[in-house]
Amino acid sequence: MLRSTTRIRNVLEPYKSMTLEFRGYPRSDGRTGIRNLVVVAYLVKCAHHVSREIQYPFREKGVHLIGFPGCYPNEYSHRLMESICTHPNVGAVLLVSLGCEGFDRFGLQTSVNQSDRPVETLVIQENSGTQNTVNLGRAWIEKTLSELEGQPRKKTPIQELIVGTICGGSDGTSGITANPAVGHAFDRLIDQQACCIFEETGELIGCEVHMQSRAVTPELGVEIRASVEKAAKYYNTLGYSSFAPGNADGGLSTIEEKSLGAYSKSGTRSISGLIKPGDVPNKGGLYLLDVVPDGDVRYGFPNINDNAEIAELIACGCHLILFTTGRGSVVGSAVSPVIKVCANPETYRNLSGDMDIDAGRVLSGDSELDQIGEEIFHLVLQTADGFQTVSEKLFHQEFIMTYKSFDPIGPSCLPN
């Protein structure tokens, strides 16, 4: 035991003198971004191709593509698009509309304009179709990139960081390596007054009593427990739970077993609040994001893939995302960088070119959980300061958003 403790002390030595700040891009609302991206946002699937043609030549220059595919209006989708287009990592926005969809493009442009970001809206039906709209969009991008070039950065304390976490492709190693290592990193971040967000209630079924006991107030504890019970009822109505065949192939046996592994990403600190997509915490601490819609089951599965959840974390202000995986996932995200933490050593050997951190070293005895947690913490600060993650270098900019419906949170959900 003495030898193991000494080894941990030695490998953690470089982190003791770390400067707990990053160089970010100040925004007029007082927040600070860790990237200065231009976002091309399509407002209906019919405008997707034109938007992609505008964005693609600039993908290596920090221009990202996002969008909402639906033709019919939805309060949730508007709220998320507004939150993401005014996210601190975003420096300018180009909206692309077909012209007859239900999305409130005027309202979205107004919100972006009020945030002091350059914004332009192109309507394909009013701009002579595909090619002319593409030409207009590319010209605007070129002009805007030159305007953003050289924008000054400022030293920003770690307290202003918002970090989210999600697991995808979980297996029997996730809950004993990568997930608890992220939990350690969350504890470190929260101790420095940063903000950390974990989700999803549908993958925490069976852990509601534990989370209730960690709530900062009894009233918040009741809300947390109710959110998980809502998720269980929702999945029961669908005849489905958040448990995929790949989870079983990877050694997990039940949703409860998967939940315990997912729960370990939250660390050990008190839970400060319960939020829903689009709610941005205004102070540090640990927050649970409820991603299961309210009311009757109307839109099917709460999230059709991991990137739908990442979009919701970004809408809550997350500067970056910690993504744990056991089976292996290669996705990244538009707008906020993704740090991949691989749980399984075999998966890491097969997919090392897509991973940032090998947490599977815990199983071989080459590392300890605390050490992996410190590596994650250190990489969070490096990424915030401008270091590119693997998914960024590979130009992974996945994004998806669907229909949902949520009720506003009550005062018990954010007691502080």
Side-chain angles (χ1 to χ4, degrees):
M1 180 61 69
L2 179 60
R3 183 185 305 169
S4 175
T5 304
T6 303
R7 182 180 63 184
I8 296 172
R9 187 181 299 120
N10 289 339
V11 298
L12 298 186
E13 197 67 36
Y15 302 121
K16 291 183 178 179
S17 59
M18 285 171 51
T19 301
L20 300 181
E21 61 184 15
F22 60 95
R23 294 169 298 160
Y25 297 92
R27 306 300 180 194
S28 62
D29 62 3
R31 296 189 291 173
T32 303
I34 68 171
R35 298 292 185 267
N36 200 25
L37 307 171
V38 176
V39 160
V40 179
Y42 57 89
L43 306 183
V44 64
K45 181 67 177 179
C46 306
H48 189 173
H49 173 76
V50 171
S51 301
R52 186 173 61 248
E53 288 295 297
I54 293 171
Q55 174 266 344
Y56 191 80
F58 306 101
R59 71 182 186 125
E60 298 184 23
K61 297 182 179 181
V63 180
H64 288 200
L65 179 66
I66 67 171
F68 176 63
C71 191
Y72 301 99
N74 176 251
E75 182 179 344
Y76 159 85
S77 62
H78 187 94
R79 186 183 191 200
L80 256 66
M81 286 291 284
E82 185 176 280
S83 297
I84 295 171
C85 287
T86 58
H87 188 281
N89 288 354
V90 175
V93 180
L94 176 65
L95 305 177
V96 184
S97 162
L98 175 62
C100 55
E101 70 276 357
F103 204 100
D104 180 11
R105 61 178 182 269
F106 302 108
L108 181 56
Q109 175 168 341
T110 299
S111 296
V112 178
N113 187 59
Q114 290 174 345
S115 73
D116 291 333
R117 289 168 170 81
V119 58
E120 182 65 63
T121 300
L122 297 178
V123 181
I124 299 169
Q125 291 171 346
E126 298 175 4
N127 284 303
S128 303
T130 296
Q131 193 56 59
N132 194 54
T133 306
V134 169
N135 293 340
L136 290 170
R138 289 179 179 176
W140 188 88
I141 294 289
E142 288 180 348
K143 176 178 70 72
T144 303
L145 284 174
S146 65
E147 293 173 358
L148 295 181
E149 188 176 356
Q151 183 173 338
R153 299 162 71 186
K154 72 168 186 175
K155 289 185 178 180
T156 306
I158 191 175
Q159 290 93 324
E160 294 194 26
L161 270 183
I162 304 180
V163 181
T165 188
I166 177 178
C167 45
S170 299
D171 70 4
T173 68
S174 298
I176 56 178
T177 60
N179 290 359
V182 165
H184 175 93
F186 262 29
D187 286 350
R188 290 279 278 117
L189 288 161
I190 292 165
D191 290 346
Q192 297 296 329
Q193 300 178 15
C195 175
C196 294
I197 303 175
F198 73 109
E199 52 79 59
E200 78 181 278
T201 46
E203 287 192 352
L204 294 168
I205 295 170
C207 299
E208 57 270 24
V209 176
H210 302 296
M211 291 188 291
Q212 182 177 10
S213 69
R214 292 170 60 190
V216 293
T217 65
E219 294 78 13
L220 173 60
V222 171
E223 295 282 358
I224 289 173
R225 184 164 184 168
S227 71
V228 180
E229 291 172 349
K230 176 190 70 172
K233 181 179 179 181
Y234 193 99
Y235 281 122
N236 186 59
T237 301
L238 285 175
Y240 169 84
S241 68
S242 186
F243 191 87
N247 299 140
D249 292 342
L252 293 173
S253 61
T254 62
I255 183 62
E256 289 82 7
E257 185 180 17
K258 183 182 180 183
S259 294
L260 286 169
Y263 176 58
S264 66
K265 299 198 306 298
S266 67
T268 63
R269 301 301 183 255
S270 297
I271 300 176
S272 299
L274 173 69
I275 59 177
K276 296 181 182 182
D279 295 325
V280 180
N282 61 3
K283 64 181 299 183
L286 178 65
Y287 297 82
L288 171 62
L289 173 59
D290 177 7
V291 301
V292 176
D294 293 315
D296 295 333
V297 177
R298 298 175 60 193
Y299 302 116
F301 297 152
N303 282 304
I304 60 175
N305 59 41
D306 296 325
N307 281 93
E309 298 169 50
I310 291 177
E312 291 175 329
L313 285 166
I314 295 171
C316 292
C318 288
H319 291 93
L320 56 89
I321 309 296
L322 301 176
F323 191 128
T324 66
T325 182
R327 297 302 306 276
S329 174
V330 300
V331 301
S333 175
V335 179
S336 293
V338 170
I339 294 175
K340 287 300 211 10
V341 184
C342 187
N344 190 315
E346 182 177 350
T347 301
Y348 185 82
R349 285 192 293 271
N350 291 335
L351 294 173
S352 59
D354 284 279
M355 302 298 163
D356 294 283
I357 290 178
D358 176 17
R361 288 178 288 145
V362 172
L363 295 179
S364 62
D366 294 327
S367 186
E368 304 285 345
L369 276 175
D370 289 353
Q371 179 187 345
I372 302 295
E374 289 296 319
E375 289 181 17
I376 296 170
F377 176 75
H378 183 56
L379 187 53
V380 164
L381 282 172
Q382 285 184 307
T383 302
D385 198 51
F387 178 82
Q388 282 198 320
T389 66
V390 170
S391 62
E392 286 185 287
K393 293 175 183 177
L394 294 172
F395 305 110
H396 277 285
Q397 298 173 10
E398 288 85 351
F399 187 89
I400 188 169
M401 193 166 66
T402 57
Y403 285 97
K404 281 190 178 183
S405 178
F406 285 96
D407 299 327
I409 58 173
S412 297
C413 295
L414 289 174
N416 293 328

